[in-house]
Amino acid sequence: MSKKRLSVVVTRRLPDAVETRLSELFDVTLREEDVAMTRAELTQAMKTADVLVPTVTDEIDATLIAQAGDQLKLIANYGAGVDHIDVATARQRGILVSNTPGVLTEDTADMTMALILGVTRRMSEGMAMMQKGEWSGWAPTALLGGRVSGRRLGILGMGRIGQAVAKRAAAFGMQVHYHNRRKLHESIEDSLEATYWESLDQMVARMDVISVNCPHTPSTFHLMNARRLKLMKPDAVIVNTSRGEVIDENALTRMLRAGEIKGAGLDVYEHGTAVNPRLRELDNVVLLPHMGSATLEGRLEMGEKVIINIKTFDDGHRPPDQVVPSML
């Protein structure tokens, strides 16, 4: 007698190869259009599915989890970050949560370096000038940026992505510093030629570039708040490819406008797509639409991880990328 196939609901359109493989393995419900589910649609999906495959745009909070059907046993997140999922409440309901760690490390680190270069070399200003047809030719003093070689880079969060950023920065001749919940093993520090700062305040005050690479948790919300942003040197820049909530966006905008911080490169924002309109007006920022991990290779590898997590669960084992509250 054949085994009943798991009912899987996917909340967003995924690459064709991923959707096809999911359809081969499970009784899958796919999205017709690439738009986020409404809360009502999410509620219905959680009442009927054995497995939910959400993305970062889906807020799976305690209220939503409370309405889930008894059959829902796994939330297989398509993405590494799980701050949009109430993992503790899910665990109380007997619902496992998994994610897709590791596969986006290189892509996000690449984009971090792109933002560092984009801000320090004033690329957005140059591009705007070209698009408006305002360039009248080369001039010795036009759009003078700064050299990244020799600058001090302070990495906030030295996990997989932070370490990948450190390797790239070192190749560009930057001096690598970092703050982390735990000091790295001496052998890793040596290989990265990285200097550890136990005090984030002391590190921030001495860096030329700050790179935010830590996850969003209750302890990292507004970690770069107004007080800490004021510690930055006036000629320093900050980039963020992690989570927007780590930086007080309003305070950052005020300081950028006042010239108290030289520039910023942002791929994520505190309130999602509701970017501070004053931030959009500034010439000294590079703004990207959360595309740090947007490579085809990365998206396919994310899908493979989701499928492995679901298939392992279906075979009666715990998903290899299970997330538990103690990890957050």
Side-chain angles (χ1 to χ4, degrees), residues 14-27:
L14 303 181
D16 287 346
V18 177
E19 292 186 342
T20 299
R21 188 58 179 150
L22 283 168
S23 299
E24 291 170 348
L25 293 171
F26 313 110
D27 180 12

Side-chain angles (χ1 to χ4, degrees), residues 268-293:
V268 288
Y269 307 92
E270 185 174 348
H271 304 291
T273 57
V275 182
N276 188 319
R278 291 192 169 189
L279 197 58
R280 300 178 191 271
E281 301 169 357
L282 299 174
D283 293 330
N284 56 341
V285 298
V286 177
L287 304 178
L288 296 178
H290 200 165
M291 55 188 288
S293 62

Side-chain angles (χ1 to χ4, degrees), residues 148-167:
V148 297
S149 177
R151 293 197 178 197
R152 292 188 178 94
L153 170 65
I155 299 174
L156 177 47
M158 202 60 146
R160 292 188 185 96
I161 294 174
Q163 292 179 38
V165 170
K167 292 176 183 177

Side-chain angles (χ1 to χ4, degrees), residues 126-158:
M127 291 171 64
M129 179 182 290
M130 296 301 292
Q131 290 169 352
K132 294 175 183 177
E134 296 176 351
W135 186 51
S136 59
W138 181 86
T141 59
L143 292 174
L144 296 181
R147 181 182 296 165
V148 297
S149 177
R151 293 197 178 197
R152 292 188 178 94
L153 170 65
I155 299 174
L156 177 47
M158 202 60 146

Side-chain angles (χ1 to χ4, degrees), residues 37 124 233 271 307:
M37 279 188 169
S124 61
K233 300 192 297 183
H271 304 291
I307 291 167

Side-chain angles (χ1 to χ4, degrees), residues 2 6 35-36 80 93 123 142 170 174 201 234 236 245 254 257 313:
S2 61
L6 280 180
V35 293
R93 283 289 310 271
M123 288 185 183
M174 302 187 79
D201 285 1
E245 294 91 341
R254 288 194 304 270
R257 289 173 64 89
F313 168 77

